[in-house]
Amino acid sequence: MEHENRLGDIEITDPKAMRALAHPVRLAILERLQRHGPATATQLSPDVGATPSVTSWHLRHLAGFGLVRDAEAGTDRRERRWEAAARGFRFETPEDDEGRSAARVLSREMFARSATLPQRWMTETEPGLDPVWRKPAGLADTRIVVSAEELAAIEDAIERVLVPYITRDPAQRPNDSRSVRLLRYVLPEAADDRPNDTAAEPADDRTADPTGGMA
């Protein structure tokens, strides 16, 4: 089943582009530009953990693969402003060895970058949330038994639900809206882990209470 690119994400197919993006500073740069809009290397520097000159070098490298581009000049026209080329990016694991290796490198770096997000949220953000926001927060660890085609259909359905909230004009957002991170891991298990017909129903371990209580 082919995924429809409803969000207009950049689709990365070049293994060299995958390897270029598989760097913590470059991923941080792209995320910062996508989330907060155009910025100079100097403005990006504190957020991405690199000096302005190093940040500028990474920006030019990303621009070489079409992931970032020049933005309209700001008040100080002496400084070069950059913007993300699209709202997001996506890639699939190619079949050839080079492409598969590059996709693994990028995936590994992205997993590493997101690994600390839940713990940081628990310690830095969750304690200050109002109850109305704390209630729907948390995690779900759901195991399902599906075919590859069914899994693709599930991913497609999830994206269909999210699209209106991602693409709507900022002026149409409710006054009490705020940014929410949805971390979605899709991790097919090994073939020999498939349950037989007499096995128990797939587990659905949910933590609705972010402080650790099980729902």
Side-chain angles (χ1 to χ4, degrees):
M1 177 179 180
E2 293 292 332
H3 284 290
E4 183 179 345
N5 188 353
R6 301 180 183 86
L7 301 178
D9 294 337
I10 286 182
E11 298 193 23
I12 304 176
T13 58
D14 182 356
K16 293 181 179 179
M18 295 181 194
R19 292 186 181 277
L21 187 54
H23 187 286
V25 172
R26 292 173 196 155
L27 282 171
I29 287 172
L30 194 56
E31 180 181 316
R32 168 67 167 72
L33 292 175
Q34 289 171 341
R35 182 170 183 174
H36 298 291
T40 66
T42 300
Q43 292 169 332
L44 291 167
S45 176
D47 293 332
V48 303
T51 65
S53 60
V54 171
T55 301
S56 181
W57 182 84
H58 284 300
L59 281 162
R60 292 194 301 272
H61 201 69
L62 289 170
F65 290 98
L67 297 172
V68 303
R69 63 194 178 199
D70 285 306
E72 291 185 9
T75 54
D76 187 348
R77 294 181 176 274
R78 294 171 300 177
E79 288 195 289
R80 189 176 186 180
R81 297 177 80 236
W82 300 86
E83 65 181 4
R87 187 192 306 271
F89 69 90
R90 61 181 64 197
F91 66 98
E92 294 184 359
T93 302
E95 295 296 328
D96 62 287
D97 291 342
E98 180 186 4
R100 185 162 57 248
S101 176
R104 284 178 58 82
V105 171
L106 177 54
S107 295
R108 187 181 302 114
E109 192 60 47
M110 291 176 65
F111 274 123
R113 178 164 177 74
S114 63
T116 61
L117 283 175
Q119 186 61 39
R120 294 209 316 268
W121 176 84
M122 277 292 300
T123 58
E124 300 171 9
T125 305
E126 187 275 335
L129 289 178
D130 296 330
V132 67
W133 283 102
R134 188 180 293 117
K135 185 175 180 180
L139 63 89
D141 183 358
T142 305
R143 184 172 181 271
I144 58 176
V145 181
V146 294
S147 67
E149 184 175 353
E150 288 171 330
L151 180 58
I154 291 171
E155 281 290 285
D156 186 69
I158 291 173
E159 187 171 280
R160 284 178 181 273
V161 171
L162 295 177
V163 164
Y165 303 100
I166 296 173
T167 60
R168 68 181 171 184
D169 188 280
Q172 297 178 336
R173 296 168 183 165
N175 292 332
D176 61 346
S177 62
R178 65 175 63 180
S179 177
V180 177
R181 294 292 292 267
L182 299 177
L183 303 181
R184 192 166 80 250
Y185 294 87
V186 180
L187 308 174
E189 298 179 344
D192 55 5
D193 284 339
R194 187 180 187 279
N196 58 41
D197 292 339
T198 61
E201 289 297 313
D204 185 356
D205 300 324
R206 296 179 182 271
T207 302
D209 179 356
T211 61
M214 296 301 295

